[in-house]
Amino acid sequence: MAPSRRDLQLTPLSGDTAAEIGAMEEVRLLDSYDDDDNDDSLSKIEEGSGGSGLRKIQVGITGMTCAACSNSVEGALMSVNGVFKASVALLQNRADVLFDPNLVKEEDIKEAIEDAGFEAEILAEPVTSGTKTQATLVGQFTIGGMTCAACVNSVEGILRDLPGVKRAVVALATSLGEVEYDPNVISKDDIVTAIEDAGFEGSLVQSNQQDKLLLRVDGVLNELDAQVLEGILTRLNGVRQFRLDRITGELEVVFDPEVVSSRSLVDGIEGEGYGKFKLRVMSPYERLTSKDTGEASNMFRRFISSLSLSIPLFFIQVICPHIALFDTVLVWRCGPFMVGDWLKWALVSVIQFVIGKRFYVAAWRALRNGSTNMDVLVALGTSASYFYSVGALLYGAVTGFWSPTYFDASAMLITFVLLGKYLESLAKGKTSDAMKKLVQLTPATAILIEGKGSLSLNFSLTTSTIQPFFEAQFFRFVGEREIDALLIHPGDSLKVLPGGKIPADGVVVWGSSYVNESMVTGESVPVSKEVDSPVIGGTINMHGVLHIKATKVGSDAVLSQIISLVETAQMSKAPIQKFADYVASIFVPVVITLALFTLVGWSIGGAVGAYPDEWLPQNGTHFVFSLMFSISVVVIACPCALGLATPTAVMVATGVGATNGVLIKGGDALEKAHKVKYVIFDKTGTLTQGKATVTTAKVFSEMDRGEFLTLVASAEASSEHPLAKAIVEYARHFHFFDESAEDGDTSNKVSQNAGWLLDTSDFSALPGKGIQCLVDNKLILVGNRKLMSENSITIPDHVEKFVEELEESAKTGVIVAYSGQLVGVMGVADPLKREAAVVVEGLLRMGVRPIMVTGDNWRTARAVAKEVGIEDVRAEVMPAGKAEVIRSLQKDGSTVAMVGDGINDSPALAAADVGMAIGAGTDVAIEAADYVLMRNNLEDVITAIDLSRKTLTRIRLNYVFAMAYNVVSIPIAAGVFFPVLRVQLPPWAAGACMALSSVSVVCSSLLLRRYKKPRLTTILEITKE
């Protein structure tokens, strides 16, 4: 499930210069970029002020797959008289529409979208911030029995037509469907029923409801135990309802989280049972994995059953006639038929109607829903062979003319198709291996430290103060116990032993160690963790014992969000898949038509003597000869390979990306990245390390150095900008020679800020200029030349020359004025990342043009660009202006990628065709980005583009396999080359080829698992494709 807006996490504020401080206050982290004027007018409209009478609504749109779709919708909306503004968000599948209700109605807007070829639904008014109302739920359902893209289209159509369903997406490769629905209109049971009524198997895997718990219960041995357990549940406060499956031992409990927590619920059941029952929380992914395994096992059992009956049939048909004893028995007449005919008929009937029942059921549900799929072809081909053979036997019994039967063709065909389906299910399971590895990162249990009171994160602890930690007045140690990791609550105190996995996201409150975070972030070097250091659930503690306080659990945890993003990406459709969907919709009717032409053509040819009778099988007729060609055409054609070509490759690629710290949000983003022409880099925190340090502080007045630094630090203390922090740290170090300025001890910094800084008032950030405030009722200005000029501050020539020298050496000059006079200049440097120059050269070799866009001054920007090898520089650009730069590059149809690290880059990330948030760390839910790069390393930009190119190459190769197979095999099956080669493809061989074609496509996609991201030493070896 895609992360919701309430799960949004914001990265620390960052930007390019001190002049950009405060610009972030006007930027939203959303997938659209409305200008402030419209927002202001909207607020007035909604408040009832103003006379414009305009309204803004949100419209849910179904069917958009790429930017062309969103542009089409925008164009359709803007063409409606009365619509003033329309902004379509592709990934969110919705549009914000500003319109005049006197000129156009909501239904007119909906019809305009539907006329453009999309489904639309007017969404309810957005819930105000702070409420807990949940208008819709998102449920994930398993859908068994789908075989090709036609099945997917059929299920999606049925789900979307259900009342109360807002959105429905179905993925063939995972056999999953994600449905957003209104629980007040339709329940999950209604959705499951609709899936089953359509002829498929359906069940709920998980939803975003927070008041349901699925448990595995050990200890229920008989009816009495079950009654005892049900009695305990009935007595527990907060339990609304429960369902116990006594066969599987699964217990589903619906409870009120305001009354009882999940851990208290489990503890209550185990406590009331006096140790009789042992409960374990079941992960939804665990159920999904077991279901996948069960599907493969079921297909294997069907294949073995069919094979065990086909082998005797093969012996009767091929081997026994050459053994006198067996042949004598088989040709012995028993009633109207010989013993051999009776045996073949009986064996094939079991295979056809018992083992092969699934093909008839699937074919019927497809035809009932007005669609066709592979099962229709299999059922048609095997039925034609079976019923012809039965007809031949009956005709022979009546007339005495015995035509050859083809029972073996039907049996072997079903056997080979089942073999192919089994191999396909195994191969498809491999495509989600990366997802399974991510799920397995979370430890099963955790050690809970129990105590009274609460932990204070400001209490600095060392190894020698463990006893005061437990005896401190704010926390009294009681004991520790092992609990299920899925029962951890925010605020819990947890103990992590050396070599153990960290059970939840949190912060260290005691101890120090090194943690291996490679499995989550892709960073191979272990990271040092001390008090107040953040830790990520699923990572491995290397050495020392750590005590952590859990901060994020469940769906809020980083690992859960990574899994959610990968799931969402795997369920999305890449635009290139539209081709396969179209072919799948017409494939089966075309094949059946070709089979009829084959049957009629060979039959007419035989009737008019177009080919000699020697070509006919023994005792065969022109009709039988033609029928075998026709059946081969029906069963050899395979739409499954086309349907699997894209989703399997996307699944593998997104999984591989996640294991390398590159999170891809959808097939659309994955496809676009391969044709990126421009990559726009922010400067601060992207090309540079984002760790600004003051290198120079020069006073140009009678003020002494210490007084000057105190004055500047007091003004900058209210800012969160990296340059401001660097100035404050420099001033503190000057006054106190404070070594903690470099160790990240937040509590010490906060305490030391008090006492030596001056009181300030009227602080304000001036976007693109700097900051200003009052100290001792005198105005202090800290910023660039523009800020000084607007406040009539004269910059002397010698100061200007000093600032230019700083800028030419790739440093930012920060000018300070106090009480109307320029008092000094500070030079701030931000070192470049060591890989920046190599990555820029690698992009150039790949045919991608790097551009640097920064709010810094031109001299500094040019100096940094020269150092990394970037020729195209755009300087003194405000945050909102970066989006305009991107749009200017997109005018000629070029694909533009934006690489940024902060909230101020969100408009540009949203405007770019491919937005990449670098150095996201734990902030994996950045909605404005298409790619989330977990590490703060520019090499991952190369990885993202390279992985996209490799994936698109693999998808095209899959299409070549699938199309070439059908283009070559259908003419062979139809007998086009029979006059020359005199080789007829028997139906069972055609079935084997059909079954293996989809397996070959899935195996082709699995080759992406071998992908290795380019190393720093090999980046320069990448060439333009």
Side-chain angles (χ1 to χ4, degrees):
M1 290 174 289
S4 61
R5 195 177 303 177
R6 69 171 182 274
D7 294 328
L8 199 61
Q9 304 173 39
L10 306 182
T11 53
L13 193 62
S14 64
D16 293 318
T17 65
E20 293 178 2
I21 301 172
M24 305 324 87
E25 297 173 0
E26 301 177 10
V27 177
R28 297 185 305 161
L29 196 61
L30 294 177
D31 200 350
S32 59
Y33 30 89
D34 303 335
D35 38 39
D36 296 332
D37 293 338
N38 286 333
D39 290 339
D40 293 340
S41 63
L42 281 176
S43 62
K44 292 178 182 178
I45 293 163
E46 292 167 359
E47 292 168 4
S49 59
S52 63
L54 298 181
R55 283 190 57 210
K56 182 178 181 181
I57 61 170
Q58 282 193 341
V59 185
I61 304 171
T62 304
M64 296 191 300
T65 57
C66 63
C69 297
S70 60
N71 293 337
S72 175
V73 174
E74 279 190 7
L77 289 171
M78 293 304 295
S79 64
V80 176
N81 183 32
V83 172
F84 289 89
K85 188 172 186 295
S87 178
V88 179
L90 175 63
L91 293 182
Q92 281 75 15
N93 290 313
R94 66 172 181 263
D96 290 339
V97 184
L98 180 67
F99 68 99
D100 186 348
N102 297 320
L103 299 177
V104 62
K105 301 185 184 304
E106 292 182 0
E107 286 301 317
D108 297 330
I109 295 173
K110 179 180 177 183
E111 289 177 6
I113 298 174
E114 291 174 344
D115 289 343
F118 302 90
E119 297 179 15
E121 182 177 4
I122 306 299
L123 301 179
E125 293 295 326
V127 180
T128 56
S129 178
T131 65
K132 294 184 179 181
T133 305
Q134 192 171 19
T136 61
L137 295 177
V138 178
Q140 194 176 76
F141 298 81
T142 56
I143 303 174
M146 296 189 298
T147 56
C148 63
C151 298
V152 172
N153 295 336
S154 176
V155 176
E156 281 187 346
I158 291 169
L159 291 174
R160 288 169 182 167
D161 290 337
L162 293 175
V165 172
K166 308 291 184 182
R167 178 178 60 87
V169 180
V170 176
L172 173 64
T174 59
S175 296
L176 287 176
E178 190 172 277
V179 183
E180 182 181 359
Y181 62 99
D182 185 348
N184 298 317
V185 179
I186 188 171
S187 68
K188 68 175 181 63
D189 295 327
D190 295 330
I191 296 174
V192 171
T193 301
I195 295 172
E196 291 175 345
D197 287 345
F200 300 90
E201 300 172 3
S203 63
L204 178 69
V205 178
Q206 64 176 348
S207 74
N208 59 348
Q209 282 183 296
Q210 298 299 314
D211 59 351
K212 184 178 292 183
L213 197 61
L214 187 65
L215 303 166
R216 173 83 68 184
V217 184
D218 294 328
V220 181
L221 305 178
N222 49 47
E223 184 70 22
L224 181 61
D225 291 338
Q227 293 177 2
V228 171
L229 179 59
E230 290 173 354
I232 293 173
L233 288 166
T234 303
R235 293 191 299 271
L236 284 176
N237 290 332
V239 175
R240 295 174 180 169
Q241 61 186 50
F242 59 87
R243 183 183 61 82
L244 174 64
D245 188 330
R246 300 177 185 180
I247 298 176
T248 62
E250 292 184 6
L251 173 64
E252 185 179 282
V253 183
V254 178
F255 64 96
D256 186 347
E258 299 295 327
V259 177
V260 61
S261 67
S262 56
R263 189 163 71 224
S264 300
L265 180 63
V266 172
D267 291 343
I269 296 173
E270 291 182 342
E272 290 286 332
Y274 299 102
K276 170 66 176 176
F277 306 112
K278 186 65 178 177
L279 277 67
R280 180 173 63 85
V281 182
M282 291 184 64
S283 166
Y285 302 104
E286 177 185 342
R287 299 180 72 198
L288 191 59
T289 303
S290 63
K291 187 172 182 65
D292 289 342
T293 305
E295 182 181 352
S297 300
N298 181 48
M299 199 62 66
F300 181 71
R301 285 194 299 269
R302 289 176 180 272
F303 163 67
I304 291 299
S305 300
S306 181
L307 181 64
S308 63
L309 296 177
S310 297
I311 290 176
L313 190 66
F314 176 78
F315 271 85
I316 293 173
Q317 187 82 13
V318 179
I319 306 297
C320 292
H322 301 286
I323 302 175
L325 177 62
F326 289 115
D327 186 52
T328 303
V329 175
L330 293 176
V331 298
W332 181 60
R333 186 167 296 278
C334 180
F337 311 123
M338 292 184 292
V339 171
D341 293 329
W342 283 112
L343 289 175
K344 287 189 287 186
W345 192 356
L347 290 172
V348 174
S349 294
V350 175
I351 296 174
Q352 184 76 28
F353 299 110
V354 179
I355 300 174
K357 176 183 176 182
R358 66 178 301 275
F359 297 112
Y360 284 102
V361 172
W364 166 247
R365 71 178 176 233
L367 294 172
R368 187 180 64 183
N369 293 321
S371 61
T372 53
N373 56 19
M374 184 209 73
D375 297 299
V376 173
L377 297 179
V378 174
L380 186 62
T382 57
S383 297
S385 177
Y386 176 84
F387 287 110
Y388 164 76
S389 300
V390 172
L393 282 180
L394 297 177
Y395 183 78
V398 174
T399 65
F401 179 78
W402 299 95
S403 298
T405 60
Y406 294 92
F407 283 122
D408 60 321
S410 172
M412 297 300 290
L413 174 59
I414 290 177
T415 302
F416 278 112
V417 170
L418 289 173
L419 172 62
K421 285 297 175 186
Y422 169 64
L423 296 176
E424 182 183 319
S425 64
L426 289 180
K428 286 198 300 186
K430 295 290 184 182
T431 63
S432 59
D433 275 356
M435 172 71 76
K436 294 173 184 174
K437 290 178 181 178
L438 287 173
V439 172
Q440 292 169 359
L441 288 179
T442 305
T445 60
I447 301 175
L448 175 68
I449 301 175
E450 295 182 304
K452 295 182 179 180
S454 60
L455 289 175
S456 172
L457 296 184
N458 291 327
F459 192 92
S460 181
L461 302 169
T462 62
T463 307
S464 62
T465 59
I466 182 170
Q467 194 63 30
F469 166 72
F470 291 128
E471 295 179 353
Q473 60 181 358
F474 55 82
F475 184 86
R476 185 166 64 85
F477 175 73
V478 173
E480 59 184 46
R481 65 186 176 103
E482 191 173 65
I483 64 171
D484 196 305
L486 294 174
L487 297 177
I488 297 173
H489 296 158
D492 282 347
S493 304
L494 306 170
K495 180 179 180 180
V496 187
L497 299 175
K501 291 182 179 180
I502 294 173
D505 294 359
V507 291
V508 177
V509 295
W510 179 84
S512 61
S513 181
Y514 281 87
V515 174
N516 181 3
E517 298 181 344
S518 61
M519 63 288 299
V520 176
T521 65
E523 183 61 64
S524 58
V525 180
V527 182
S528 174
K529 300 294 181 182
E530 298 179 346
V531 173
D532 290 347
S533 298
V535 290
I536 304 173
T539 56
I540 299 176
N541 180 25
M542 303 291 289
H543 304 298
V545 177
L546 292 177
H547 291 175
I548 68 170
K549 179 178 180 179
T551 56
K552 297 176 183 176
V553 299
S555 60
D556 293 330
V558 169
L559 191 57
S560 294
Q561 292 186 25
I562 291 174
I563 293 171
S564 177
L565 285 178
V566 175
E567 268 190 325
T568 303
Q570 291 181 347
M571 292 195 65
S572 66
K573 291 183 179 180
I576 196 173
Q577 193 175 343
K578 289 190 294 183
F579 167 73
D581 291 342
Y582 171 73
V583 172
S585 65
I586 63 172
F587 188 88
V588 174
V590 169
V591 169
I592 294 176
T593 302
L594 290 176
L596 290 175
F597 279 137
T598 301
L599 176 64
V600 173
W602 279 104
S603 298
I604 294 175
V608 300
Y611 55 86
D613 291 342
E614 288 78 12
W615 288 7
L616 302 179
Q618 186 178 4
N619 295 332
T621 64
H622 294 293
F623 176 75
V624 174
F625 184 63
S626 306
L627 182 63
M628 290 302 103
F629 283 120
S630 180
I631 293 175
S632 295
V633 170
V634 168
V635 298
I636 202 169
C638 183
C640 295
L642 280 170
L644 292 170
T646 299
T648 53
V650 170
M651 278 191 69
V652 177
T654 50
V656 167
T659 57
N660 286 283
V662 177
L663 303 183
I664 308 167
K665 288 199 175 181
D668 187 28
L670 183 64
E671 180 175 339
K672 283 183 180 179
H674 88 283
K675 52 185 178 182
V676 166
K677 183 177 180 180
Y678 300 100
V679 174
I680 295 180
F681 290 99
D682 182 29
K683 181 177 76 70
T684 304
T686 302
L687 289 173
T688 65
Q689 296 178 12
K691 299 177 181 177
T693 56
V694 177
T695 59
T696 306
K698 190 166 185 178
V699 183
F700 293 98
S701 67
E702 296 179 357
M703 189 181 297
D704 64 49
R705 185 181 180 86
E707 185 181 356
F708 169 73
L709 293 177
T710 301
L711 185 67
V712 180
S714 299
E716 294 282 22
S718 299
S719 173
E720 287 296 319
H721 195 280
L723 301 187
K725 292 181 179 180
I727 291 172
V728 174
E729 293 301 325
Y730 181 82
R732 180 188 295 117
H733 185 75
F734 176 83
H735 283 289
F736 300 104
F737 297 100
D738 176 25
E739 296 300 328
S740 69
E742 301 176 0
D743 66 5
D745 191 338
T746 306
S747 59
N748 286 343
K749 293 176 185 177
V750 173
S751 63
Q752 290 182 9
N753 276 349
W756 68 278
L757 293 178
L758 304 175
D759 293 332
T760 61
S761 61
D762 296 340
F763 175 89
S764 63
L766 306 172
K769 303 170 189 175
I771 62 102
Q772 68 179 27
C773 63
L774 295 178
V775 176
D776 294 333
N777 292 322
K778 296 180 180 179
L779 181 66
I780 178 171
L781 304 171
V782 183
N784 57 16
R785 295 179 181 85
K786 189 174 183 180
L787 179 63
M788 300 299 137
S789 175
E790 290 182 356
N791 287 273
S792 303
I793 304 296
T794 303
I795 303 178
D797 292 341
H798 66 286
V799 176
E800 178 66 29
K801 183 178 179 182
F802 178 75
V803 173
E804 290 177 1
E805 290 174 354
L806 289 175
E807 294 169 347
E808 288 171 355
S809 59
K811 298 175 184 177
T812 300
V814 180
I815 306 172
V816 183
Y818 182 59
S819 188
Q821 298 294 324
L822 190 148
V823 294
V825 175
M826 303 189 74
V828 184
D830 188 1
L832 287 170
K833 293 178 179 176
R834 60 182 178 82
E835 74 277 6
V838 178
V839 169
V840 167
E841 186 175 350
L843 287 172
L844 289 170
R845 287 176 177 260
M846 294 172 71
V848 180
R849 181 180 171 186
I851 301 173
M852 187 177 78
V853 180
T854 176
D856 215 336
N857 63 80
W858 278 99
R859 287 191 183 87
T860 303
R862 288 195 182 102
V864 171
K866 182 178 180 180
E867 195 169 345
V868 297
I870 294 178
E871 297 180 357
D872 193 343
V873 182
R874 315 291 172 90
E876 299 179 4
V877 179
M878 293 187 184
K882 295 178 182 178
E884 293 299 328
V885 173
I886 291 172
R887 293 189 194 102
S888 67
L889 295 172
Q890 292 171 330
K891 287 181 179 179
D892 62 351
S894 299
T895 302
V896 181
M898 170 70 192
V899 184
D901 71 319
I903 306 171
N904 61 318
D905 297 320
S906 295
L909 289 172
D913 298 293
V914 180
M916 299 183 185
I918 190 171
T922 59
D923 297 314
V924 300
I926 299 176
E927 289 193 9
D930 301 301
Y931 283 74
V932 178
L933 311 181
M934 298 290 288
R935 302 189 306 160
N936 194 16
N937 193 315
L938 290 171
E939 293 176 58
D940 290 341
V941 177
I942 295 276
T943 301
I945 298 175
D946 185 55
L947 178 59
S948 172
R949 291 183 174 183
K950 295 263 192 319
T951 304
L952 264 293
T953 299
R954 180 59 56 185
I955 290 174
R956 294 190 185 105
L957 194 59
N958 287 348
Y959 278 135
V960 169
F961 284 158
M963 293 301 296
Y965 162 80
N966 285 292
V967 168
V968 173
S969 63
I970 290 177
I972 292 176
V976 172
F977 303 106
F978 183 83
V980 178
L981 302 177
R982 300 293 174 86
V983 175
Q984 183 178 17
L985 191 67
W988 65 265
C993 293
M994 181 271 286
L996 293 177
S997 66
S998 57
V999 177
S1000 66
V1001 168
V1002 178
C1003 290
S1004 171
S1005 295
L1006 285 175
L1007 291 177
L1008 283 171
R1009 296 171 64 196
R1010 302 171 59 186
Y1011 175 82
K1012 300 294 183 183
K1013 66 179 182 179
R1015 299 293 180 185
L1016 196 63
T1017 54
T1018 60
I1019 283 178
L1020 299 185
E1021 298 176 8
I1022 301 175
T1023 56
K1024 182 178 179 180
E1025 295 184 1

